[in-house]
Amino acid sequence: MVGEGELAAAKASLRRRVLAARAALSPQQRADAARALRDAVLALPQAQMAGTVAAYYSIGAEPDTHGLVYALWKRGTYVLLPQLRPDMDLDWASYEGPDSLRPGPRGLTEPAEPPRGVPAVARVGPQVPTIALLYDGELLDEVPAAAHDQRVRLAACPATGIMRLPHELPFSSPVP
């Protein structure tokens, strides 16, 4: 069993490696990846049928979700985006188009709409797809994880599209 300190160190090391690799990507590589990820998610039958989608609005070198969020909203999907609370928990608010966003804490962009409450996005059951958006080369066989880390069922990479993960790998965001 890995101790808390070792787990934190392993996560920090992975974050550093992922962030360094992301920083090395050119703007064109990031834009191409964003289009491929958007198209892969939009083509997913579960996304096409979804009435509500919880997503994140990317910042920095994260796989860009701006086009995906906008496309989901334009097709009539109710999109919830996180709002970071002072206690570092996430609240959720609706995305009502690009003009409904405001600067948030820690350099985030978040909805200016009223919060829906922390439980607006409850822990989801096995029938709800949870997708990690990754750049090519970021899918790992193992990710350091604690019991509270949420597992993802699918991964999307630009070159390969959507992949079902064999054992619902633990996922914790590579950025703090």
Side-chain angles (χ1 to χ4, degrees):
M1 182 165 201
V2 177
E4 267 186 57
E6 291 177 56
L7 181 60
K11 285 183 174 186
S13 175
L14 178 58
R15 276 189 195 97
R16 283 191 299 275
R17 289 195 317 267
V18 168
L19 291 174
R22 289 178 173 182
L25 294 172
S26 72
Q28 187 61 53
Q29 288 172 307
R30 289 183 191 153
D32 291 345
R35 280 189 294 281
L37 290 168
R38 177 200 64 208
D39 294 348
V41 172
L42 291 175
L44 188 66
Q46 295 95 323
Q48 292 174 5
M49 296 182 303
T52 302
V53 170
Y56 68 94
Y57 206 74
S58 58
I59 61 169
E62 291 177 332
D64 190 318
T65 62
H66 301 186
L68 173 61
V69 167
Y70 182 77
L72 287 164
W73 174 72
K74 283 299 278 186
R75 73 159 46 155
T77 303
Y78 182 61
V79 179
L80 289 171
L81 296 177
Q83 292 176 326
L84 186 61
R85 294 166 29 120
D87 66 0
M88 303 307 286
D89 202 352
L90 297 178
D91 208 326
W92 297 89
S94 62
Y95 172 82
E96 300 296 335
D99 295 336
S100 72
L101 298 172
R102 67 175 181 215
R106 298 185 146 209
L108 299 173
T109 300
E110 59 185 27
E113 299 298 312
R116 304 281 185 218
V118 173
V121 177
R123 303 297 182 230
V124 296
Q127 298 305 315
V128 177
T130 50
I131 307 169
L133 303 182
L134 306 169
Y135 288 112
D136 293 324
E138 288 186 348
L139 184 62
L140 304 173
D141 291 331
E142 190 174 330
V143 176
H148 67 271
D149 288 322
Q150 296 300 302
R151 297 183 178 274
V152 294
R153 296 171 182 90
L154 305 167
C157 294
T160 54
I162 304 285
M163 297 165 281
R164 183 164 302 283
L165 299 177
H167 303 293
E168 294 184 2
L169 296 175
F171 178 76
S172 55
S173 175
V175 290

